[in-house]
Amino acid sequence: NNNTKKLTVKFYPAGSLLIYLPNNITANNSDIIPLPQFINSGIEFIDYHQAESSQNKEKTSPSLSKMEESQTIKKWQIKLLEDNVLPVKDVSLFLDGKEVVKNQPINKAWHQHFYQAEDGTPFKAIYQFQIREIPEGDIYAVIEVAENLDKIIVNNIDIAALRDTREPYRFNKEQVWKDITFTKVPLTAKLKTGINTITIKGKKENNITGPNTHIPVDDYKNHRPTEVETIYIVGDFSVTDRNKTNFLINGQNININAQNLTASGYPFYAGQVELVDSLKLDNIPEKAYLHVDDVNAACLELYVNEQKVGTCYWEPFIYDISEYLKEGNNQIKLKAATTLFNLMGPNRIDGILESNFVGPRTFVDEDKFTEKYTLLPFGIGKGRLMVDNK
């Protein structure tokens, strides 16, 4: 059949391809546009056709495997764009003066006790975390709707949240972290080496009845809920990992591994990191691609000489940088972003990486609970400059 077209494509994990051909397309149609080498949906075209007409012949680029590796980038200068974090996920809970949970995972306090208690029930929740070396700079505890609590006590010192209970919810970075209800509580100068204790007190007011289930609130404008949730310690520090079961805060880390920040002091980091290096070129190649290996990130954004090239979300992490290069030094800057899995989970559920479905009830699956955290790597490998001078 003269109208048959053959495409050879490589599908990377999560890759997909939709091909649309109008009815009037034929094998000899001169209006066919040359295929790109890669499309940002996890697809690499292995074989390329040529668009031919009586006026011109346009040749597409060869496959990456046939291109020459010109230079390698692997000495990344790393800059974290957000604070590090240590989540405190175990709690001791008292309801109406009676201890109902003692140093247990927060999910047991949620649905077995706190959400089942009658509104107005007095509660106290005690959290503990360890510090080996007190970090420099400002340190905060992030407590959900902290402004609605009666008391926040850090190492026997009363502390106030950075937002008042009557203030409207808005994202003000001076007051909140990650979410408009994640209120900051200043800890600077209140911390000590060893075990630190945060105690919160209040009256239970909450319309949650179970995983992903709520009851309506009549006067929602004046509803001031309270929570017994994970507390996040936020600041410029590193976190030491003890067999993925116990974690403690250290001072600043100057030896960050670009290939895996998770394993080099940032097991719960949730944000962006900037990685910078340079390429020196005596001549500008006709066609040039940057291929980044071993990417473990939610997405990877590339800038060449401060110009944005594009963003990749899955393999292949390959960028056409031909038009951005110049003779001499070229700055290569990547911004990699994490997911929230390491920070918020559900990462204390046995076999979570093999689960086909994750929902609200996964977080409270006590039969599969484990003391050991599952943590995903975060980082990138080397960058390779691939060129075609033909």
Side-chain angles (χ1 to χ4, degrees):
N1 188 330
N2 291 331
N3 291 331
T4 299
K5 298 295 293 183
K6 179 181 178 181
L7 296 177
T8 304
V9 297
K10 179 178 180 180
F11 287 82
Y12 288 83
S16 61
L17 177 65
L18 172 66
I19 299 175
Y20 169 73
L21 293 175
N23 292 331
N24 61 348
I25 287 291
T26 66
N28 296 320
N29 194 312
S30 62
D31 295 327
I32 296 178
I33 300 173
L35 292 172
Q37 185 168 353
F38 305 95
I39 57 176
N40 198 10
S41 63
I43 293 294
E44 177 183 353
F45 291 98
I46 306 301
D47 295 333
Y48 294 88
H49 67 265
Q50 295 180 10
E52 299 181 0
S53 69
S54 57
Q55 286 79 26
N56 68 342
K57 288 187 178 182
E58 184 176 352
K59 185 171 182 282
T60 59
S61 299
S63 67
L64 191 69
S65 61
K66 296 179 181 179
M67 298 180 74
E68 175 187 352
E69 183 176 323
S70 174
Q71 294 187 47
T72 301
I73 304 173
K74 55 186 178 181
K75 294 182 179 180
W76 299 107
Q77 300 297 312
I78 305 170
K79 178 183 178 182
L80 276 74
L81 301 182
E82 299 185 32
D83 282 334
N84 201 11
V85 54
L86 173 68
V88 186
K89 295 190 174 186
D90 291 338
V91 68
S92 295
L93 176 64
F94 296 77
L95 291 174
D96 208 7
K98 180 182 178 182
E99 187 176 51
V100 295
V101 169
K102 184 173 183 178
N103 197 30
Q104 292 291 313
I106 199 77
N107 64 291
K108 293 185 178 181
W110 288 341
H111 295 291
Q112 290 185 11
H113 303 283
F114 185 75
Y115 294 141
Q116 295 181 10
E118 292 185 7
D119 281 356
T121 301
F123 72 88
K124 177 175 71 172
I126 301 173
Y127 302 78
Q128 292 187 327
F129 61 97
Q130 286 185 279
I131 296 180
R132 176 179 289 171
E133 179 182 344
I134 297 177
E136 298 179 2
D138 293 330
I139 307 293
Y140 300 92
V142 175
I143 303 174
E144 191 164 353
V145 291
E147 63 275 12
N148 297 336
L149 297 168
D150 294 337
K151 275 199 170 187
I152 304 169
I153 306 167
V154 178
N155 294 331
N156 297 317
I157 302 171
D158 286 3
I159 307 293
L162 292 181
R163 181 170 58 189
D164 185 81
T165 188
R166 295 295 167 179
E167 285 188 60
Y169 286 120
R170 61 177 183 229
F171 194 82
N172 180 346
K173 288 186 177 181
E174 300 300 318
Q175 296 178 315
V176 301
W177 179 78
K178 294 291 184 190
D179 185 274
I180 59 173
T181 63
F182 281 20
T183 307
K184 288 182 176 179
V185 178
L187 300 182
T188 311
K190 312 297 188 300
L191 301 176
K192 60 183 181 180
T193 55
I195 296 176
N196 290 257
T197 302
I198 298 177
T199 302
I200 61 173
K201 297 180 179 180
K203 294 180 178 61
K204 186 261 182 180
E205 295 289 341
N206 203 290
N207 66 323
I208 298 175
T209 59
N212 204 34
T213 56
H214 302 70
I215 58 174
V217 174
D218 293 331
D219 187 8
Y220 70 90
K221 290 185 177 180
N222 293 307
H223 181 57
R224 298 291 179 265
T226 52
E227 286 281 4
V228 174
E229 261 278 14
T230 299
I231 287 180
Y232 305 95
I233 311 301
V234 176
D236 185 6
F237 51 74
S238 62
V239 174
T240 297
D241 174 355
R242 289 180 175 174
N243 196 31
K244 293 186 173 60
T245 55
N246 296 310
F247 301 85
L248 53 87
I249 291 175
N250 266 321
Q252 294 175 321
N253 186 6
I254 59 174
N255 297 311
I256 307 174
N257 182 358
Q259 287 189 287
N260 192 356
L261 280 78
T262 300
S264 57
Y266 300 88
F268 303 104
Y269 184 74
Q272 285 188 312
V273 61
E274 190 176 273
L275 305 106
V276 179
D277 205 335
S278 62
L279 295 168
K280 187 174 182 180
L281 298 175
D282 296 327
N283 299 294
I284 306 300
E286 181 180 325
K287 203 68 177 174
Y289 291 87
L290 182 71
H291 186 191
V292 185
D293 294 330
D294 302 322
V295 176
N296 289 293
C299 63
L300 194 63
E301 196 171 83
L302 172 64
Y303 296 80
V304 175
N305 296 322
E306 298 297 341
Q307 296 183 74
K308 184 176 179 179
V309 177
T311 305
C312 286
Y313 299 92
W314 42 69
E315 291 185 315
F317 289 89
I318 298 174
Y319 308 81
D320 186 344
I321 60 173
S322 310
E323 62 182 279
Y324 302 95
L325 297 174
K326 63 182 182 179
E327 290 186 2
N329 286 323
N330 291 265
Q331 185 198 63
I332 305 297
K333 179 167 67 177
L334 290 164
K335 288 185 179 180
T338 67
T339 68
L340 291 174
F341 176 81
N342 286 357
L343 179 65
M344 296 183 175
N347 52 8
R348 295 174 82 178
I349 301 298
D350 187 38
I352 189 62
L353 297 184
E354 287 73 47
S355 297
N356 293 322
F357 174 79
V358 173
R361 294 188 180 277
T362 309
F363 289 80
V364 293
D365 189 351
E366 293 185 21
D367 293 337
K368 294 184 177 180
F369 175 79
T370 174
E371 291 288 339
K372 195 169 186 176
Y373 285 74
T374 297
L375 297 171
L376 298 177
F378 171 49
I380 67 169
K382 62 184 179 182
R384 294 185 290 133
L385 178 64
M386 313 298 293
V387 301
D388 173 28
N389 291 311
K390 295 181 180 180

Short mmCIF file of all heavy atoms in Angstrom, two decimals, residues 225-254:
data_model
loop_
_atom_site.label_atom_id
_atom_site.label_comp_id
_atom_site.label_asym_id
_atom_site.label_seq_id
_atom_site.Cartn_x
_atom_site.Cartn_y
_atom_site.Cartn_z
N PRO A 225 -11.59 25.22 63.65
CA PRO A 225 -11.25 23.82 63.96
C PRO A 225 -9.91 23.69 64.66
O PRO A 225 -9.03 24.55 64.55
CB PRO A 225 -11.21 23.17 62.58
CG PRO A 225 -10.82 24.28 61.66
CD PRO A 225 -11.47 25.51 62.22
N THR A 226 -9.72 22.59 65.37
CA THR A 226 -8.44 22.23 65.97
C THR A 226 -8.02 20.87 65.40
O THR A 226 -8.85 20.07 64.97
CB THR A 226 -8.53 22.15 67.49
OG1 THR A 226 -9.62 21.29 67.87
CG2 THR A 226 -8.74 23.53 68.10
N GLU A 227 -6.72 20.63 65.41
CA GLU A 227 -6.19 19.40 64.83
C GLU A 227 -5.12 18.80 65.74
O GLU A 227 -4.40 19.51 66.44
CB GLU A 227 -5.54 19.69 63.47
CG GLU A 227 -6.53 19.94 62.34
CD GLU A 227 -7.12 18.65 61.77
OE1 GLU A 227 -6.83 17.57 62.31
OE2 GLU A 227 -7.89 18.74 60.80
N VAL A 228 -5.05 17.46 65.73
CA VAL A 228 -3.90 16.74 66.26
C VAL A 228 -3.27 16.05 65.06
O VAL A 228 -3.67 14.98 64.65
CB VAL A 228 -4.30 15.73 67.35
CG1 VAL A 228 -3.10 14.90 67.77
CG2 VAL A 228 -4.90 16.46 68.54
N GLU A 229 -2.32 16.73 64.46
CA GLU A 229 -1.73 16.32 63.18
C GLU A 229 -0.21 16.26 63.32
O GLU A 229 0.36 16.61 64.35
CB GLU A 229 -2.10 17.33 62.09
CG GLU A 229 -3.27 16.89 61.22
CD GLU A 229 -2.81 15.94 60.12
OE1 GLU A 229 -1.68 15.43 60.20
OE2 GLU A 229 -3.60 15.70 59.19
N THR A 230 0.44 15.83 62.24
CA THR A 230 1.90 15.87 62.18
C THR A 230 2.39 17.31 62.37
O THR A 230 1.80 18.25 61.83
CB THR A 230 2.39 15.35 60.81
OG1 THR A 230 1.96 14.00 60.65
CG2 THR A 230 3.91 15.42 60.71
N ILE A 231 3.44 17.47 63.15
CA ILE A 231 4.11 18.77 63.29
C ILE A 231 5.39 18.73 62.46
O ILE A 231 6.12 17.74 62.47
CB ILE A 231 4.42 19.07 64.77
CG1 ILE A 231 3.12 19.41 65.52
CG2 ILE A 231 5.41 20.23 64.90
CD1 ILE A 231 3.32 19.72 66.99
N TYR A 232 5.64 19.82 61.75
CA TYR A 232 6.82 19.90 60.88
C TYR A 232 7.81 20.91 61.46
O TYR A 232 7.44 22.06 61.72
CB TYR A 232 6.42 20.32 59.47
CG TYR A 232 5.37 19.42 58.86
CD1 TYR A 232 4.01 19.75 58.93
CD2 TYR A 232 5.73 18.23 58.23
CE1 TYR A 232 3.05 18.91 58.38
CE2 TYR A 232 4.78 17.40 57.68
CZ TYR A 232 3.44 17.73 57.76
OH TYR A 232 2.48 16.91 57.22
N ILE A 233 9.05 20.48 61.67
CA ILE A 233 10.12 21.37 62.11
C ILE A 233 10.85 21.85 60.86
O ILE A 233 11.36 21.04 60.08
CB ILE A 233 11.11 20.68 63.07
CG1 ILE A 233 10.33 19.93 64.18
CG2 ILE A 233 12.07 21.70 63.66
CD1 ILE A 233 9.42 20.82 65.02
N VAL A 234 10.89 23.16 60.65
CA VAL A 234 11.34 23.73 59.38
C VAL A 234 12.49 24.69 59.62
O VAL A 234 12.43 25.54 60.53
CB VAL A 234 10.18 24.47 58.68
CG1 VAL A 234 10.64 25.14 57.41
CG2 VAL A 234 9.04 23.49 58.38
N GLY A 235 13.55 24.60 58.81
CA GLY A 235 14.68 25.52 58.92
C GLY A 235 15.85 25.08 58.07
O GLY A 235 15.76 24.13 57.28
N ASP A 236 16.97 25.76 58.24
CA ASP A 236 18.19 25.46 57.49
C ASP A 236 19.04 24.51 58.31
O ASP A 236 19.87 24.92 59.14
CB ASP A 236 18.95 26.77 57.19
CG ASP A 236 20.16 26.54 56.30
OD1 ASP A 236 20.33 25.39 55.83
OD2 ASP A 236 20.93 27.49 56.08
N PHE A 237 18.83 23.22 58.08
CA PHE A 237 19.57 22.19 58.82
C PHE A 237 19.60 20.92 57.98
O PHE A 237 18.94 20.81 56.94
CB PHE A 237 18.93 21.92 60.19
CG PHE A 237 17.44 21.64 60.14
CD1 PHE A 237 16.94 20.44 59.65
CD2 PHE A 237 16.53 22.60 60.57
CE1 PHE A 237 15.57 20.19 59.61
CE2 PHE A 237 15.16 22.36 60.53
CZ PHE A 237 14.68 21.15 60.06
N SER A 238 20.36 19.95 58.44
CA SER A 238 20.34 18.62 57.83
C SER A 238 19.69 17.65 58.82
O SER A 238 19.57 17.93 60.01
CB SER A 238 21.76 18.16 57.48
OG SER A 238 22.55 18.04 58.65
N VAL A 239 19.28 16.51 58.29
CA VAL A 239 18.61 15.50 59.11
C VAL A 239 19.39 14.19 59.00
O VAL A 239 19.66 13.70 57.90
CB VAL A 239 17.15 15.28 58.64
CG1 VAL A 239 16.50 14.13 59.40
CG2 VAL A 239 16.34 16.56 58.83
N THR A 240 19.77 13.65 60.15
CA THR A 240 20.50 12.40 60.19
C THR A 240 19.53 11.23 60.26
O THR A 240 18.57 11.25 61.03
CB THR A 240 21.44 12.35 61.41
OG1 THR A 240 22.41 13.40 61.28
CG2 THR A 240 22.17 11.02 61.48
N ASP A 241 19.82 10.23 59.46
CA ASP A 241 18.95 9.06 59.32
C ASP A 241 19.55 7.90 60.09
O ASP A 241 20.70 7.52 59.85
CB ASP A 241 18.83 8.74 57.82
CG ASP A 241 18.08 7.46 57.53
OD1 ASP A 241 17.72 6.74 58.47
OD2 ASP A 241 17.86 7.18 56.34
N ARG A 242 18.78 7.32 60.99
CA ARG A 242 19.21 6.12 61.71
C ARG A 242 18.36 4.94 61.21
O ARG A 242 17.27 4.67 61.73
CB ARG A 242 19.05 6.29 63.22
CG ARG A 242 20.04 7.27 63.83
CD ARG A 242 19.81 7.38 65.32
NE ARG A 242 20.82 8.22 65.97
CZ ARG A 242 20.76 8.57 67.25
NH1 ARG A 242 19.74 8.18 68.01
NH2 ARG A 242 21.70 9.33 67.78
N ASN A 243 18.84 4.28 60.17
CA ASN A 243 18.19 3.09 59.64
C ASN A 243 16.74 3.34 59.23
O ASN A 243 15.89 2.46 59.33
CB ASN A 243 18.25 1.93 60.66
CG ASN A 243 17.94 0.58 60.02
OD1 ASN A 243 18.23 0.38 58.84
ND2 ASN A 243 17.33 -0.30 60.77
N LYS A 244 16.44 4.57 58.80
CA LYS A 244 15.10 4.94 58.32
C LYS A 244 14.00 4.72 59.36
O LYS A 244 12.82 4.58 59.03
CB LYS A 244 14.76 4.20 57.03
CG LYS A 244 15.62 4.62 55.84
CD LYS A 244 15.16 3.98 54.55
CE LYS A 244 15.92 4.53 53.35
NZ LYS A 244 17.35 4.32 53.41
N THR A 245 14.38 4.73 60.63
CA THR A 245 13.37 4.63 61.70
C THR A 245 13.42 5.83 62.63
O THR A 245 12.39 6.32 63.07
CB THR A 245 13.56 3.34 62.53
OG1 THR A 245 14.90 3.30 63.04
CG2 THR A 245 13.32 2.11 61.68
N ASN A 246 14.61 6.32 62.93
CA ASN A 246 14.78 7.49 63.79
C ASN A 246 15.56 8.56 63.05
O ASN A 246 16.53 8.27 62.35
CB ASN A 246 15.52 7.11 65.08
CG ASN A 246 14.74 6.14 65.93
OD1 ASN A 246 13.57 6.37 66.20
ND2 ASN A 246 15.37 5.05 66.33
N PHE A 247 15.13 9.81 63.23
CA PHE A 247 15.75 10.93 62.53
C PHE A 247 16.00 12.06 63.53
O PHE A 247 15.17 12.30 64.42
CB PHE A 247 14.85 11.43 61.41
CG PHE A 247 14.51 10.37 60.39
CD1 PHE A 247 13.46 9.49 60.59
CD2 PHE A 247 15.26 10.24 59.24
CE1 PHE A 247 13.15 8.51 59.67
CE2 PHE A 247 14.97 9.27 58.30
CZ PHE A 247 13.90 8.39 58.51
N LEU A 248 17.13 12.74 63.39
CA LEU A 248 17.42 13.86 64.28
C LEU A 248 18.04 15.00 63.50
O LEU A 248 18.60 14.82 62.43
CB LEU A 248 18.30 13.43 65.45
CG LEU A 248 19.62 12.69 65.16
CD1 LEU A 248 20.74 13.68 64.91
CD2 LEU A 248 19.96 11.77 66.31
N ILE A 249 17.92 16.21 64.06
CA ILE A 249 18.37 17.43 63.39
C ILE A 249 19.84 17.67 63.68
O ILE A 249 20.30 17.58 64.82
CB ILE A 249 17.52 18.63 63.86
CG1 ILE A 249 16.09 18.50 63.32
CG2 ILE A 249 18.14 19.94 63.42
CD1 ILE A 249 15.15 19.57 63.82
N ASN A 250 20.59 18.01 62.61
CA ASN A 250 21.98 18.41 62.71
C ASN A 250 22.12 19.85 62.26
O ASN A 250 21.15 20.50 61.85
CB ASN A 250 22.86 17.51 61.83
CG ASN A 250 23.44 16.35 62.62
OD1 ASN A 250 23.82 16.49 63.77
ND2 ASN A 250 23.49 15.19 61.99
N GLY A 251 23.35 20.34 62.26
CA GLY A 251 23.60 21.67 61.72
C GLY A 251 23.53 21.65 60.20
O GLY A 251 23.06 20.70 59.58
N GLN A 252 24.02 22.70 59.58
CA GLN A 252 23.97 22.81 58.12
C GLN A 252 24.85 21.76 57.46
O GLN A 252 25.87 21.35 58.00
CB GLN A 252 24.41 24.21 57.68
CG GLN A 252 23.46 25.30 58.12
CD GLN A 252 23.98 26.68 57.78
OE1 GLN A 252 25.17 26.94 57.89
NE2 GLN A 252 23.09 27.56 57.38
N ASN A 253 24.44 21.34 56.27
CA ASN A 253 25.17 20.33 55.52
C ASN A 253 25.88 20.97 54.34
O ASN A 253 25.26 21.64 53.52
CB ASN A 253 24.18 19.26 55.02
CG ASN A 253 24.88 18.09 54.36
OD1 ASN A 253 26.11 18.01 54.36
ND2 ASN A 253 24.10 17.19 53.79
N ILE A 254 27.18 20.76 54.24
CA ILE A 254 27.94 21.35 53.13
C ILE A 254 28.34 20.30 52.10
O ILE A 254 28.93 20.62 51.08
CB ILE A 254 29.20 22.08 53.63
CG1 ILE A 254 30.11 21.11 54.38
CG2 ILE A 254 28.84 23.26 54.50
CD1 ILE A 254 31.44 21.71 54.79
#
